[in-house]
Amino acid sequence: MLETESFWGRRSFPRFPADRWAGRATCLRLWGRERESTPGPLLCGRPVPPAGPEVEGQPGAVWPGPGRLAGAAECTMLSCDICGETVTSEPDMQAHLLIAHMENEVICPFCKLSGVNYDEMCFHIETAHFEQNELGRNFERINPILYGTSDNRRDSAQQSRMEVHASIHSPCASNHPNISAQSQPKDGTLEHQAFFSENLTESRKFPGSKEKQSDLPKIKGPIYGTVYSPPECPFCGEIEDCTQDMETHVKTNHANLLDTPVKDCDQPLYDCPMCGLICTNYHILQEHVDLHLEESSFRQGTDRVQYSRDLELAHHLQEEEDRRRAEESRQEREEFQKLQRQYGLDNSGGYKQQLLRSMEREVNSGRMHPSEFHRRKADMMESLAIGIDDGKTKTSGIMEALHQHYQNAAPEVRQVWLSAAVDHFHSSSGDKGWGCGYRNFQMLLSSLLQNDPYHDCLKGVAVPCIPKIQSLIEDAWREGFDPQGATQLNDRLQGTKAWIGACEIYTLLTSLRVKCRIVDFHKSTGPLGTHPRLFEWILNYYSTEREGGPKVVCTSKPPIYLQHQGHSRTVVGIEERKNRTLCLLIFDPGCPSREMQKLLKQDMEANSLKQLRKFVGNLKHKQYQIVAVEGLLTAEEKIARRQASQVFTAEKIP
């Protein structure tokens, strides 16, 4: 005990009496074994099997220790139930238990449970692995009886039992440094089939006689009666005769506590109507269905919340869409009203109303005397009544002045072609901003009235005022000309500031039996958006022979109506310069009379022609349309043209 005392002195663990260690070691059996009454003072194990044949068949006998002869002084060898280690004394066994099993971690040999103390591990094996525990213990006790009569094979059987015993305890024995790692399974567990395979192997190796085999049932009864304890149900405590009966009992009476339902059992089964799960108990099924209902209720509540959110989002999106559409509608309405104002369709009055408001502003600002206002108003009313322009915006004699200028000056010009005589009409305060088309028609008509071939056709016609021109266009619509244009302008021009373009000029001239055509230069034909083909077409219109003629050619051709986006002008001639470039001569209704009258001076300056000259690089609008007069129409041709105007078409270049 001095050695043991010194060992305790070196340890930091609490010191326990030897009798307490002995009692603890005796009670704690890893395999759940009951206490056995074995001869000799055993601490925690069973006697080591005899080492020689002289002690065979003597139960409870003591045998010599290692290295001693039979008959020598008796020594009790103690074997550890956990790892199979043998020691010679109880103090050595106490030290072995403390070092190998108490301090180190205890691991369950069946399921690798760890982290519990020794008592808890014993209780775990007794309750969770009682079948494997009983099976291993029964095989351990039956093997000596079944194979104990083989004299010549006793050593090998004893060795096999020791190997099985060591393999059973290998998870715990691995804590001991003396145990080889080769005896341990790779996964640290041992299935109970190992016991069957070992015993079957022994029976194959040493088949006995029929008599010995027939004695087995006789021996089996008393053996099981003495060493076999019947299994107890872990759920209700009922005891059965064998393991198979206990398994049937558990699967039959406690199937609701198992993971899988029992097959081929008379107990009724219940299917879940929602998911198809099979239950063996009605109450379990009811709880299971209640969970389904709670989940469904929760999902419905979630769905209602989600539906409320979706509905709120839908209302929000609809409100945004309504606001967007309202804003777009407002913008479209404003743009349309802007276009109506721009093109004079906003019902704000026509030529008469605009002229009166303009004169009133001048009176209010002091620039016009009231008497002058009334005089001008009377003149306007008289002009509107007879439908003839009062001539206050007309400038005559410009074409003659141009002919004289080119004859005496303009050395840079190689040749020039001038149209027939034409008067210039500019916009007044009554049509400012929208009357360019009407003023260009007045210029064109003034040339036709001075041209003998057209004078007979237009007999009795004078240059009309703007309201009269609007009335003439409405009359042409009523005759059936250009129904699409009439629809676009609401079949009404009088009393409005509606713009007119090439189509209305064509309609009006055709209704007056003047033969003309529309040519559409719908895209540029030169670099940088220029239209050189337009200049070439106008040159071909005015000139017949370009070579060998005089420098100034006064033709009988009427001027050309030139329309582009937002404005219209009148082409009265074309120049061909010495560098072979072309230049148009254009009357612009936006040019006031005082500027045009500068062209009537005898000493006309070259700078005065700048307002008339337009080179190729000056005309860069995307599209240009011209109305060119080509003669007179017969009555039949007029009817044909009226029918053709149902679907308006134009000649396109290019």
Side-chain angles (χ1 to χ4, degrees):
M1 292 300 294
L2 294 177
E3 181 180 356
T4 305
E5 291 294 338
S6 62
F7 169 77
W8 288 117
R10 293 193 302 268
R11 308 299 295 180
S12 61
F13 295 97
R15 180 176 178 181
F16 297 108
D19 57 350
R20 184 172 178 181
W21 281 108
R24 180 179 179 85
T26 305
C27 295
L28 300 180
R29 301 299 183 104
L30 183 61
W31 298 100
R33 298 172 181 151
E34 303 293 340
R35 293 189 180 183
E36 301 178 21
S37 58
T38 56
L42 298 180
L43 177 63
C44 64
R46 57 185 180 279
V48 179
E54 62 274 14
V55 292
E56 183 179 358
Q58 300 179 11
V62 294
W63 47 84
R68 296 188 180 184
L69 298 176
E74 297 182 355
C75 179
T76 303
M77 298 296 293
L78 302 180
S79 175
C80 178
D81 274 349
I82 299 176
C83 62
E85 178 75 12
T86 59
V87 295
T88 59
S89 64
E90 289 187 6
D92 294 340
M93 179 59 67
Q94 294 173 5
H96 166 71
L97 288 175
L98 177 62
I99 297 174
H101 303 299
M102 292 301 178
E103 289 184 350
N104 297 339
E105 182 181 14
V106 180
I107 303 175
C108 177
F110 301 107
C111 65
K112 278 193 169 183
L113 175 67
S114 61
V116 297
N117 58 33
Y118 200 79
D119 295 333
E120 292 172 347
M121 179 61 71
C122 291
F123 178 76
H124 163 71
I125 294 176
E126 286 291 344
T127 55
H129 307 292
F130 70 95
E131 291 184 2
Q132 296 94 324
N133 184 21
E134 291 295 335
L135 183 60
R137 186 167 59 189
N138 291 339
F139 270 102
E140 183 181 349
R141 294 178 181 179
I142 291 172
N143 282 343
I145 299 174
L146 293 178
Y147 308 104
T149 58
S150 299
D151 297 339
N152 54 348
R153 301 297 182 186
R154 184 173 185 87
D155 294 339
S156 61
Q158 182 67 25
Q159 181 179 0
S160 300
R161 286 196 303 272
M162 293 301 294
E163 292 176 357
V164 173
H165 179 74
S167 64
I168 293 175
H169 298 287
S170 59
C172 293
S174 62
N175 298 322
H176 198 279
N178 297 329
I179 303 300
S180 173
Q182 297 178 355
S183 65
Q184 302 179 17
K186 293 182 179 180
D187 57 353
T189 60
L190 179 64
E191 297 182 358
H192 64 277
Q193 283 84 352
F195 296 100
F196 291 100
S197 62
E198 179 184 322
N199 290 311
L200 290 176
T201 304
E202 289 292 335
S203 64
R204 291 191 186 98
K205 287 183 179 180
F206 312 108
S209 63
K210 294 182 180 180
E211 292 78 5
K212 292 181 180 181
Q213 293 179 3
S214 62
D215 293 340
L216 180 60
K218 298 178 182 179
I219 302 174
K220 181 178 181 180
I223 289 175
Y224 277 84
T226 57
V227 301
Y228 175 74
S229 60
E232 181 179 354
C233 177
F235 302 110
C236 63
E238 184 176 348
I239 299 175
E240 297 291 343
D241 295 335
C242 61
T243 305
Q244 289 79 4
D245 294 342
M246 176 56 66
E247 181 179 357
T248 303
H249 165 76
V250 171
K251 292 183 178 180
T252 303
N253 298 331
H254 308 291
N256 57 337
L257 302 176
L258 301 177
D259 294 336
T260 57
V262 181
K263 297 182 179 179
D264 301 332
C265 184
D266 296 336
Q267 184 176 0
L269 302 178
Y270 303 93
D271 295 343
C272 175
M274 296 185 177
C275 66
L277 178 68
I278 300 176
C279 301
T280 58
N281 188 289
Y282 175 75
H283 299 288
I284 296 178
L285 176 63
Q286 184 176 1
E287 294 179 358
H288 174 72
V289 173
D290 290 342
L291 292 177
H292 275 300
L293 296 178
E294 291 178 3
E295 180 182 4
S296 176
S297 176
F298 176 76
R299 187 182 297 110
Q300 291 177 359
T302 305
D303 293 342
R304 284 194 295 269
V305 173
Q306 185 65 30
Y307 173 76
S308 176
R309 293 177 179 175
D310 293 344
L311 184 61
E312 182 180 356
L313 178 60
H315 285 312
H316 179 67
L317 294 177
Q318 185 63 39
E319 291 177 358
E320 290 185 352
E321 181 68 16
D322 293 341
R323 286 194 298 269
R324 184 184 64 81
R325 290 183 178 180
E327 182 65 20
E328 290 180 355
S329 178
R330 184 187 63 80
Q331 292 180 357
E332 290 179 359
R333 186 166 54 254
E334 291 179 355
E335 291 292 333
F336 181 71
Q337 292 175 356
K338 182 179 179 180
L339 290 175
Q340 284 183 325
R341 290 192 301 269
Q342 180 179 356
Y343 293 101
L345 299 175
D346 56 350
N347 297 323
S348 61
Y351 176 83
K352 176 182 175 181
Q353 289 78 10
Q354 182 171 330
L355 183 57
L356 289 175
R357 286 195 293 267
S358 177
M359 291 190 298
E360 288 176 355
R361 285 194 297 269
E362 290 185 4
V363 172
N364 294 333
S365 62
R367 295 193 299 268
M368 181 183 294
H369 195 272
S371 60
E372 182 67 18
F373 169 80
H374 291 289
R375 186 184 66 80
R376 290 187 181 184
K377 181 178 179 182
D379 294 342
M380 180 197 67
M381 298 301 293
E382 182 181 358
S383 174
L384 296 178
I386 62 178
I388 299 176
D389 188 77
D390 55 10
K392 294 180 178 180
T393 64
K394 181 177 71 172
T395 302
S396 302
I398 298 177
M399 299 307 296
E400 292 79 3
L402 290 175
H403 178 270
Q404 188 68 28
H405 173 75
Y406 283 113
Q407 286 284 5
N408 302 326
E412 72 279 3
V413 177
R414 178 178 178 272
Q415 198 170 9
V416 59
W417 291 267
L418 300 176
S419 68
V422 57
D423 298 332
H424 178 266
F425 290 83
H426 69 85
S427 298
S428 66
S429 57
D431 61 289
K432 186 176 182 180
W434 57 273
C436 59
Y438 301 99
R439 296 300 182 180
N440 285 307
F441 176 76
Q442 288 177 337
M443 296 182 200
L444 181 56
L445 186 59
S446 68
S447 178
L448 295 176
L449 291 176
Q450 299 178 55
N451 200 330
D452 293 338
Y454 303 97
H455 181 73
D456 295 338
C457 178
L458 299 175
K459 187 177 181 180
V461 178
V463 177
C465 62
I466 290 180
K468 181 62 176 180
I469 297 174
Q470 293 176 333
S471 177
L472 293 174
I473 296 175
E474 290 179 357
D475 293 340
W477 287 344
R478 283 189 287 269
E479 289 183 31
F481 289 95
D482 190 18
Q484 294 181 356
T487 302
Q488 291 177 0
L489 295 174
N490 297 325
D491 297 317
R492 176 172 173 262
L493 289 177
Q494 293 188 80
T496 68
K497 302 174 185 176
W499 294 13
I500 61 173
C503 295
E504 286 73 32
I505 299 298
Y506 174 88
T507 298
L508 182 53
L509 291 175
T510 304
S511 67
L512 297 175
R513 292 179 52 203
V514 176
K515 184 180 180 180
C516 58
R517 64 170 172 167
I518 299 178
V519 183
D520 185 9
F521 298 88
H522 58 95
K523 63 180 181 179
S524 65
T525 55
L528 303 176
T530 57
H531 295 264
R533 292 284 298 274
L534 172 63
F535 285 74
E536 294 175 2
W537 194 95
I538 294 175
L539 178 61
N540 294 332
Y541 173 78
Y542 281 115
S543 65
T544 55
E545 295 181 1
R546 297 176 58 184
E547 299 295 337
K551 178 181 179 181
V552 181
V553 179
C554 294
T555 67
S556 61
K557 296 290 184 69
I560 298 174
Y561 178 90
L562 177 64
Q563 175 76 51
H564 59 83
Q565 179 64 36
H567 194 42
S568 61
R569 288 170 283 189
T570 301
V571 180
V572 297
I574 184 170
E575 295 178 350
E576 184 182 18
R577 293 178 168 258
K578 291 183 178 180
N579 59 2
R580 297 293 179 174
T581 59
L582 299 177
C583 178
L584 297 180
L585 300 177
I586 293 177
F587 282 0
D588 191 341
C591 185
S593 296
R594 63 180 178 271
E595 295 294 334
M596 298 301 295
Q597 289 175 0
K598 293 180 180 180
L599 300 174
L600 301 177
K601 297 179 180 180
Q602 293 183 354
D603 54 348
M604 180 191 306
E605 298 179 358
N607 292 335
S608 301
L609 289 177
K610 287 185 178 180
Q611 58 185 344
L612 301 182
R613 287 173 173 168
K614 299 298 178 184
F615 294 93
V616 175
N618 299 129
L619 300 182
K620 292 186 178 181
H621 286 276
K622 182 179 180 180
Q623 182 180 12
Y624 288 92
Q625 291 179 345
I626 62 173
V627 180
V629 177
E630 296 179 330
L632 296 174
L633 293 173
T634 63
E636 292 77 9
E637 291 175 340
K638 178 181 177 180
I639 295 173
R641 296 266 178 129
R642 182 178 62 192
Q643 289 297 119
S645 68
Q646 302 299 312
V647 180
F648 225 105
T649 58
E651 178 185 355
K652 288 189 175 183
I653 296 177

